[in-house]
Amino acid sequence: MTSPLTPHSGYHWRGQSTRFFEGWYFRLTLPDIAQSFAFMYSIDDPAGGQLHSGGAVQILGPDEAYYCRTFTEVRKFWARSHTLAFGHHRSANLQTTNLKQAGPFTPKDFTQTITEGYQIQNHRHQGRLLTPAGEVQAEWDFTIIPQVSWGDPNVKATAGWLSYLPVLEPGWQVLMAHGHAAGWIIWQGTHYTFDHAPAYAEKNWGGAFPSKWFWLQCNAFPSTADLTITAVGGVRDVLTWQEDVGLIGIHYQGHFYEFFSRKTAFSWQVEPWGHWQLTASDYRYRAQLTGKVADDGALVRVPTRDGLQWLCRDTTHGELRVQLWTHSGEVIIDEASLWAGLEVGVGPWLEPCNFLNEL
């Protein structure tokens, strides 16, 4: 899926029995029909035998339609520690084969033997989710070719060098700021085919969980094909204390513009739902992001100390304007999209969230 040089691509669990979560997020935007598919895969407490042990797949489909299936048997989950490859299944027809119980499977073996489950490996995504009655709710088979990783042309860890140490919880990495997807998805009986669809990927992991966050992402702008933006902010754990932290990353025409609240002037004003505004500047550039959404979005489940909970509101149909200037006032970027991912999580978000750092 991503280059081996992309930090944190591999699975982080090392056999510990303490609380642990790892999750992966992949999003495909289909501009021709103005819709998106967001796939959210997760595994909780993979040592097994614990209250929250198990996996899940969540899909946020066209018009914010949502579906989730859980996979309780952790022994049927597999993942590679040095590359982006993982999978999970509930049931399979393995009795007459020599295939392993967990995986990975060849694409052909997966199609022929896995009744319900998914796997991601070698740029290829395959999966099938059933309804409780055993009917196909979702099925997919597509490839993603990465184009831009985090920090290109110099790929790096999204959260910096501290992300390699267990001091920032949870860990977070943008695996692919932009890529091209080709293949098909069957969703609620409708068959979608696509080629060169904008794709995005990120992941998080760890044993602690943020108490509040927001997130903005878009890599599908109608008037430019090489603009991708990811921004996040919230409250995270650092050893024995908590801190407000924000980050904006913009890739455009081979350049990477990064603003981090601990290093640059940074502010945000985020409503409980419906409006996001971030501004940041350093000695060279000034950026402003403005996100809006008119509908209620959709609730999705997110990791907490008490397992997956309905504590996140999400949309893939947000309006996002991205502006970037030099400090002399020259406009570098002024672009907008109606296909942005916008999100607020945990909380509770009962009033606007504001932050100002005037470094």
Side-chain angles (χ1 to χ4, degrees), residues 17-235:
S17 59
T18 53
R19 185 76 177 92
F20 180 84
F21 166 89
E22 193 147 347
W24 299 260
Y25 176 94
F26 299 89
R27 181 180 174 213
L28 314 181
T29 305
L30 309 183
D32 291 346
I33 60 171
Q35 299 288 357
S36 287
F37 283 93
F39 294 81
M40 293 159 273
Y41 307 97
S42 61
I43 184 72
D44 267 286
D45 293 339
Q50 300 175 70
L51 180 62
H52 306 302
S53 291
V57 181
Q58 302 176 77
I59 302 176
L60 191 60
D63 298 320
E64 317 290 27
Y66 172 87
Y67 192 66
C68 176
R69 288 285 272 176
T70 57
F71 295 81
T72 57
E73 294 185 77
V74 294
R75 66 185 181 87
K76 293 183 178 179
F77 175 84
W78 65 269
R80 294 289 178 258
S81 60
H82 300 295
T83 189
L84 184 60
F86 61 97
H88 206 168
H89 68 84
R90 181 193 313 281
S91 53
N93 299 314
L94 303 177
Q95 292 83 356
T96 60
T97 73
N98 294 319
L99 300 178
K100 294 180 289 185
Q101 288 292 321
F105 306 100
T106 67
K108 181 179 178 181
D109 286 336
F110 180 88
T111 299
Q112 292 180 346
T113 63
I114 300 303
T115 306
E116 184 176 23
Y118 69 86
Q119 71 173 15
I120 287 87
Q121 63 170 346
N122 300 325
H123 304 268
R124 189 164 178 174
H125 296 232
Q126 295 175 275
R128 182 184 300 113
L129 299 184
L130 305 180
T131 67
E135 299 176 349
V136 175
Q137 171 73 16
E139 190 169 6
W140 59 97
D141 191 342
F142 55 84
T143 57
I144 297 181
I145 305 302
Q147 302 296 314
V148 180
S149 188
W150 185 260
D152 274 355
N154 299 309
V155 179
K156 61 181 182 177
T158 305
W161 68 270
L162 284 175
S163 64
Y164 292 94
L165 304 174
V167 298
L168 299 181
E169 294 277 353
W172 177 58
Q173 177 72 38
V174 175
L175 296 166
M176 178 183 61
H178 185 63
H180 296 149
W184 55 265
I185 300 170
I186 298 173
W187 172 253
Q188 297 180 344
T190 301
H191 195 171
Y192 299 85
T193 59
F194 45 89
D195 185 32
H196 239 61
Y200 171 85
E202 68 176 43
K203 68 179 297 187
N204 54 15
W205 67 93
F209 308 91
S211 58
K212 179 182 287 190
W213 79 80
F214 60 84
W215 173 86
L216 306 89
Q217 184 275 324
C218 189
N219 62 323
F221 290 85
S223 57
T224 179
D226 59 357
L227 172 61
T228 175
I229 177 269
T230 305
V232 67
V235 182

Side-chain angles (χ1 to χ4, degrees), residues 27-32 34-36 178 198 216-229 276 288-294 315-323 333-342:
R27 181 180 174 213
L28 314 181
T29 305
L30 309 183
D32 291 346
Q35 299 288 357
S36 287
H178 185 63
L216 306 89
Q217 184 275 324
C218 189
N219 62 323
F221 290 85
S223 57
T224 179
D226 59 357
L227 172 61
T228 175
I229 177 269
W276 297 251
Q288 180 167 294
L289 309 180
T290 305
K292 302 177 183 178
V293 64
T315 182
T316 57
H317 292 81
E319 177 184 346
L320 180 64
R321 185 179 183 186
V322 180
Q323 296 169 283
I333 302 170
D334 190 349
E335 299 286 349
S337 175
L338 298 176
W339 305 320
L342 304 175

